[in-house]
Amino acid sequence: MKKRKYAQKLFSWYLFILLSAFLNLAIGAQETAESDKDLLVSPLLVKKYDLEFRVDIKQGKVFTEGYLNVANIGNNETEELPIILYKDLKVDAIKCQNGNDLEFNQNVVSFPDEPENEVNYILVKLNESISPGTERKFYIRYNGNIDESHNTDGYVRDSINPEFTYIRTETTAYPMVCYPNYKNRRQTFEHFWTGHPFDYRVKIILPKEYVAANIGRLIEKTETKEGVQYIYENILGAWRIDIMVAQYACLNDPESQIKMFFFPEDSEIAEKAFRFQQKAYRIYTQWFGPINDTPTGFTIIQTPGWDGGQSDVTGVIQSGRIDVRAFPGYAHEIAHFWGPNTPEKYRWINEGQASYLQYRLLKEMGDEKGLEEGMLRRRKAFIDYIDKYPEARGLTLNNYVERGEGKHDHIMNYHKGAWLYYLLDIIVGEDTFNRIISFLYNDFKGSLVTNEDFINQVEKVSGKRLSKFWQDWIYSSKSTEFLLDDLSLEEMAKKYL
Ligand SMILES: [Zn+2]
């Protein structure tokens, strides 16, 4: 998972992985080898995690115990509870609800369909099978170290250490209920789409000088004789858990419920970045309406910079030093809160949108040239790329993933996609444009938007038939020629007005 899914996405230092992008890649990867059929897939999934992490930073170890609520969503009963964990995390107890110990085996194994991925595989034999449609609660206790710091080619270098500790999905630092194969592990994320997100409550116990950060709601922070203890709960249904531990400083605006954890060495610029992101959130909300019925705000968490970054609707994980040059990138990530989810092959709908809005926002904030200059940089990057890879010239937004096998997706998603939105904004006018984004987001919550959905939605909301526009920008490579030909924005827009 780490190498295959993540490394390829680290295009630039501000370009983070959106929740949907991650899941869509997973969905896109469905056509794998035939041996896929022989891989075991458990009908069980986790409904709720209630875990306590005692982090021993000096020794680089974590001691975890807590509960998993597990549900059977399949059609058959099962007598097996398969769990995977980081290879050096060893389970010393699993109990059923009444407190009785359960028998289990554990072994370090590699995924048959992704051999570089090694995990500790724990197989629990249940005394009583779990029937379809029912739920069961299990207790688990495990400990060990996490250390991927030797991993130089992948971006996952998570470990438990005094500078920065990361406990998260990529290293399987918390138990995942699945068999040890890529197919089943992928499915644990896809449950999010099929209406089975999970809830979590995590307690993190640390030495006093450390802070635990999470994108959930802080329920409690208490000093104990051991150190300090944080309790977080997810705000919206989750598909992953991220716990960061460092000597963080924190900014908090209770009114907007926006919060930021950052490294003290970035204190000066952090305040500016915080204000910028608050403002970005406010403007997007004015444009497109609130993201959720109940406003949740969001949490920004800074990480050292090798970790990839993430974003979902209640948080943004920002990699690397805070820098004014990264502000448009921050605006991009926040724009993603309103982004529709798409299958991998239509990811331009999502990335193009954020890639355009990040500059539209700059203009709104008073940087008159911000939009034009940002979009010209995208155009130039697009042209330079086509010069270098002429085979990408004929690709369209309807076939770029298949034809280029995803190789050219960067320029199509981020540059051409953004230019499509740029033009659309002019063609339909700002207010209608804002309504289109809002409807796309709200009408497709929990489902995936295709090119056809996008077109229908734009035409429905704007009341305009735009066949020629779609033909040039989605179904043919004519738009590539326009961008290469130095046609101005106005000249292009005129074709469709
Ligand atoms: Zn993005």
Side-chain angles (χ1 to χ4, degrees), residues 356 359-360 363 367-375 422:
Y356 170 61
Y359 295 122
R360 191 192 203 229
K363 190 179 174 196
D367 177 0
E368 265 315 309
K369 289 254 167 262
L371 173 59
E372 204 184 314
E373 284 173 4
M375 292 306 289
Y422 195 14

Side-chain angles (χ1 to χ4, degrees), residues 16 332-333 336 351 354 414:
F16 301 131
H332 176 104
E333 288 311 311
H336 271 314
E351 289 300 346
Y414 298 91

Side-chain angles (χ1 to χ4, degrees), residues 14-18 332-333 336 347 350-351 354-355 414:
Y14 69 81
L15 215 65
F16 301 131
I17 307 164
L18 176 72
H332 176 104
E333 288 311 311
H336 271 314
R347 203 152 70 85
N350 185 307
E351 289 300 346
S355 302
Y414 298 91

Side-chain angles (χ1 to χ4, degrees), residues 125-158:
K125 285 280 172 210
L126 303 173
N127 309 330
E128 213 186 307
S129 62
I130 306 179
S131 326
T134 64
E135 217 175 298
R136 197 82 66 76
K137 192 171 176 176
F138 296 96
Y139 168 85
I140 187 168
R141 191 171 66 220
Y142 63 91
N143 71 78
N145 66 335
I146 298 170
D147 188 5
E148 290 279 282
S149 52
H150 58 278
N151 178 355
T152 47
D153 57 327
Y155 84 95
V156 175
R157 285 193 261 144
D158 301 3

